[in-house]
């Protein structure tokens, strides 16, 4: 992330849409403090959307979902998941819970960009400090909150392009694995107690049973990658009180000569 204070290798994901009013949209299960991209006079239309064509006209690239929350079985949640690989990647726009209309916009794990383009040209934003963290080889899991229309708040978890974790998919039994990890790290749901300015937490699920390119010598672990702040910014582990919840490892801090330092870090890891 790279920003003017400290960073890992990807840009701060700040989003603001000053040409729209705030309306009555919950962001990350909190009082709205960010302008949503849905105009007030179209929110009612969005709540009634059922066709992909109409949704994409108003929301952009997305798909509809209607599922029971596996962590809160009394809640059937409907809405849209953003699929465009930008700051809204995997974000949820919840339009009803148990058949009762609502409108809650929840940012999730955004698409993080490399500090260079496909041709290898570097494009580092201005920064005072860059934090370099270990890139773990697994599956992303995002922890978020939403509010039922009766005012009760719920915690749940999702992979990148789905509203909730599930078992039996093509890539793995992420629901069962995460429930096991919650037993290993029981303080994960309590992180909001110590980090009230964070609206959600992004984790990596990795290990031998979640096979990717790296062969890990243990069955299953989780590590906190970063948080998402109230204005959509990325909050690195160095700014999160994680307690006994493990985080990805801070490898180095760079304060000058970004390109040479980045290339040297690549050589060190390859060696």
């Amino acid at each position: 992330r790279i920003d003017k204070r400290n960073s890992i290798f990807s840009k701060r994901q700040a989003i603001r849409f000053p040409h729209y009013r705030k309306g009555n949209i919950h962001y990350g299960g909190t009082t709205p403090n960010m302008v949503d991209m849905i105009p007030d006079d179209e929110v009612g239309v969005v709540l009634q959307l059922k066709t992909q064509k109409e949704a994409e006209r108003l929301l952009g690239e997305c798909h509809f979902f209607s599922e029971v929350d596996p962590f809160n079985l009394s809640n059937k949640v409907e809405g849209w998941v953003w699929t465009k690989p930008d700051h809204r990647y995997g974000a949820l726009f919840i339009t009803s819970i148990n058949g009762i209309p609502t409108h809650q916009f929840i940012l999730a794990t955004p698409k993080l960009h490399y500090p260079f383009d496909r041709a290898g040209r570097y494009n580092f934003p201005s920064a005072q400090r860059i934090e370099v963290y270990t890139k773990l080889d697994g599956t992303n899991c995002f922890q978020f909150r939403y509010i039922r229309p009766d005012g009760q708040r719920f915690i749940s978890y999702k992979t990148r392009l789905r509203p909730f974790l599930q078992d039996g998919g093509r890539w793995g039994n992420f629901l069962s694995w995460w429930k096991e990890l919650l037993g290993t790290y029981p303080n994960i749901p309590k992180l909001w107690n110590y980090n009230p300015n964070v609206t959600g937490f992004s984790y990596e699920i990795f290990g031998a049973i979640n096979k990717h390119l790296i062969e890990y010598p243990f069955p299953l672990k989780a590590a906190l990658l970063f948080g998402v702040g109230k204005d959509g910014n990325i909050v690195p582990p160095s700014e999160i009180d994680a307690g006994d919840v493990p985080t990805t490892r801070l490898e180095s801090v760079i304060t000058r000569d970004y390109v040479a330092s980045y290339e040297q870090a690549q050589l060190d890891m390859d060696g």
Side-chain angles (χ1 to χ4, degrees), residues 105-167:
F105 177 59
I106 300 170
L107 285 172
T109 301
K111 189 69 174 178
L112 300 176
H113 301 285
Y114 292 102
F116 46 79
D117 61 20
R118 293 181 181 276
R121 294 182 294 259
Y122 285 92
N123 183 28
F124 279 93
S126 177
Q128 293 179 1
R129 161 189 169 100
I130 299 173
E131 295 178 8
V132 183
Y133 290 88
T134 301
K135 172 65 174 73
L136 300 170
D137 191 30
T139 301
N140 187 262
C141 175
F142 189 75
Q143 173 183 348
F144 65 97
R145 295 184 292 189
Y146 63 93
I147 301 173
R148 201 163 59 187
D150 62 8
Q152 187 171 352
R153 181 175 291 180
F154 296 89
I155 297 173
S156 197
Y157 307 88
K158 66 187 294 300
T159 47
R160 295 299 286 268
L161 295 179
R162 288 194 43 78
F164 303 109
L165 298 181
Q166 67 172 357
D167 279 342

